[in-house]
């Protein structure tokens, strides 16, 4: 999908860690999986996926927690904000938490994933495609 070149910035609650994404987003989603839930303390977590080469940490440093084999979740070690996600078996892509962007409204999720782990009281958006696990088979 052809989109104009764009720059989007974001960062953590305390301001120590900042990132900059250039170029178009690869995908967006709202994830209901338990790992996302526990990594943030939130009932679900929205993501924007960029190409790894388009995403740069421009201030501070990401702390990294390996939440599953091959999965790295990046966060601010000072304030705890969850910022990034990277998976070894999905090279070349780098996700940021939508809510950590300076303009989260620019990237509404276009699908819901891992609905098999959704909290019973967490509302579903009937306008979005729902996937019980990933939206596509792991490649
Ligand atoms: Zn911080
Ligand atoms: Zn998840």
């Amino acid at each position: 999908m052809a989109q104009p070149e764009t720059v989007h910035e974001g960062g953590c609650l305390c301001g120590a860690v900042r990132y900059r994404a250039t170029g178009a987003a690869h995908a967006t989603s709202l994830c209901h999986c338990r790992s996302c839930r526990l990594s943030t303390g939130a009932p679900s977590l929205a993501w924007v996926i960029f190409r790894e080469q388009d995403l740069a940490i421009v201030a501070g440093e990401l702390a990294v927690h390996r939440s599953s084999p091959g999965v790295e979740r990046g966060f601010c070690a000072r304030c705890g904000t969850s910022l990034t996600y990277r998976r070894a078996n999905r090279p070349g892509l780098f996700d940021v938490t939508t809510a950590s962007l300076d303009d989260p409204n620019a990237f509404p999720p276009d699908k819901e994933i891992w609905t098999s782990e959704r909290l019973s009281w967490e509302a579903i958006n009937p306008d979005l495609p729902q996937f019980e696990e990933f939206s596509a088979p792991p490649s």
Side-chain angles (χ1 to χ4, degrees):
M1 73 182 113
Q3 292 177 14
E5 186 76 3
T6 52
V7 177
H8 293 277
E9 297 195 2
C12 65
L13 179 60
C14 78
V17 182
R18 297 284 301 168
Y19 61 82
R20 179 180 299 136
T22 54
H26 177 79
T28 60
S29 68
L30 180 69
C31 186
H32 293 278
C33 87
R34 186 169 184 270
S35 294
C36 283
R37 202 152 64 226
L38 289 178
S39 74
T40 57
S44 60
L45 190 56
W47 293 101
V48 184
I49 305 177
F50 289 99
R51 292 188 305 169
E52 191 164 32
Q53 68 203 65
D54 292 341
L55 193 76
I57 305 299
V58 294
E61 203 175 327
L62 280 179
V64 170
H65 174 243
R66 289 183 176 79
S67 59
S68 306
V71 170
E72 289 187 350
R73 291 179 185 269
F75 62 99
C76 172
R78 190 186 334 169
C79 72
T81 300
S82 295
L83 294 168
T84 65
Y85 176 99
R86 203 158 25 175
R87 207 168 71 221
N89 66 358
R90 196 200 54 181
L93 298 177
F94 204 175
D95 309 9
V96 301
T97 50
T98 308
S100 69
L101 285 158
D102 294 342
D103 183 11
N105 286 317
F107 295 98
D110 63 8
K111 59 185 153 315
E112 299 193 22
I113 62 174
W114 285 99
T115 59
S116 57
E117 299 187 5
R118 181 180 62 89
L119 295 181
S120 61
W121 48 263
E122 174 81 335
I124 273 181
N125 182 339
D127 297 331
L128 297 184
Q130 310 283 320
F131 296 90
E132 286 201 354
E133 295 187 351
F134 297 114
S135 55
S139 49

